[in-house]
Amino acid sequence: WHGQFTPGSGWNGPQNLGGNMASAPSPVESSPGQTEVFWKGSDRNLWHVTRNLSGRWHGPVSLGMGPLGGAPQATAQPSGAVQIYWPGSGNSRLWEGFYQPRTGWRGPRDLGGALRSAPWPVSAGGTVRVLWTGPRRQLTVVRHRQGSGWNAVGWQGPLMLRVGPVDSAPFAAVGGANAAVRVFWRGKDGRLWTASLTGRGWSRPVRLAASPS
C-alpha cells in the first residue's frame, strides 16, 4: 500500500500497489526522481514496483535473485544506480543485487560476512556502506569505494567497529559534513546508542537514552 504527502495539498491514499509480500517494504528514490519499492515476495524472490517521473506506478515485477533469507534493504545514488542487500537463506552471508543505468539489473552477489541481524545500507558522498550486527554482537561494516564501476573488488571490509555488545539490528542515517554517517542501535543494557563517521573515522559510542522502565 502507498500513501503520499504533497506540500500544499496534504495527504492522499491509501493506494493498493499489488504484490504478495513476505517482508516489510524498502523504498528508495533515485535521480532523476524515480521511486522504487523492494520486498521479499511469498516465493522468497526479490520483487519491486516502480514509479517514474510521470507519477504512474508500474505493477509488481520479480527480479528473481532468491531465495532471500530476510527482508531486503535498498539504497540509491544520484546517478540513478540502486543497490539492495539481504541476508542469505540457509547461510549468514551478505547478498547484493544492483542496478546501473544503461546496463540494468545484476545479481545476486555473495559479499561474505557473518550476519547476526538484518543489514542496513546507507549512501553518503558517493560511497555505500552496509552495517549489521556480526560475531560477538559487534557492529560490522563494509564499504564500496567511489568510482565509475560497481565491482566486487571495490568492496573493503568487513570491519568490526567494537562498539558493542549490540542487541539489535543497526539503523543508519546520513548527516552533515561533520558526520557523514550516524548509526544507532540498542545496547545490551536496553539503551539507545550512537556513533558517527567523520573524516577522522568512527567515533566512540555515545549513550542517548535511558533504558525503558
Side-chain angles (χ1 to χ4, degrees):
W1 291 82
H2 165 253
Q4 177 171 313
F5 177 82
T6 304
S9 59
W11 284 97
N12 62 66
Q15 178 185 3
N16 186 354
L17 300 182
N20 197 345
M21 303 173 69
S23 78
S26 178
V28 292
E29 183 170 335
S30 62
S31 181
Q34 178 162 297
T35 302
E36 299 199 49
V37 186
F38 300 89
W39 68 90
K40 175 185 174 182
S42 58
D43 60 358
R44 303 174 69 192
N45 286 323
L46 179 64
W47 286 74
H48 76 144
V49 292
T50 303
R51 186 177 69 176
N52 57 26
L53 289 173
S54 70
R56 179 175 177 268
W57 285 97
H58 296 269
V61 174
S62 174
L63 296 172
M65 303 197 194
L68 277 64
Q73 297 290 343
T75 188
Q77 312 305 316
S79 65
V82 179
Q83 296 86 34
I84 307 100
Y85 302 92
W86 63 88
S89 176
N91 61 74
S92 61
R93 297 189 295 275
L94 176 68
W95 292 78
E96 175 193 44
F98 56 97
Y99 171 84
Q100 289 181 293
R102 297 180 296 280
T103 60
W105 285 99
R106 297 183 62 185
R109 182 161 66 186
D110 184 350
L111 296 179
L115 279 67
R116 302 292 184 267
S117 77
W120 188 271
V122 62
S123 297
T127 299
V128 174
R129 294 175 176 85
V130 188
L131 300 107
W132 67 86
T133 302
R136 301 195 294 277
R137 298 169 70 182
Q138 295 294 321
L139 196 61
T140 305
V141 60
V142 295
R143 74 178 180 93
H144 193 281
R145 297 192 303 265
Q146 298 185 52
S148 58
W150 195 262
N151 49 59
V153 297
W155 286 95
Q156 292 183 343
L159 171 67
M160 189 177 295
L161 299 184
R162 301 187 185 280
V163 299
V166 176
D167 199 38
S168 71
F171 170 85
V174 178
N178 295 325
V181 176
R182 184 173 289 277
V183 59
F184 303 87
W185 67 91
R186 183 178 67 236
K188 186 180 179 181
D189 55 5
R191 295 176 169 89
L192 178 65
W193 290 77
T194 187
S196 59
L197 173 66
T198 67
R200 298 181 179 180
W202 287 95
S203 70
R204 296 178 62 88
V206 175
R207 190 180 69 190
L208 294 179
S211 59
S213 57

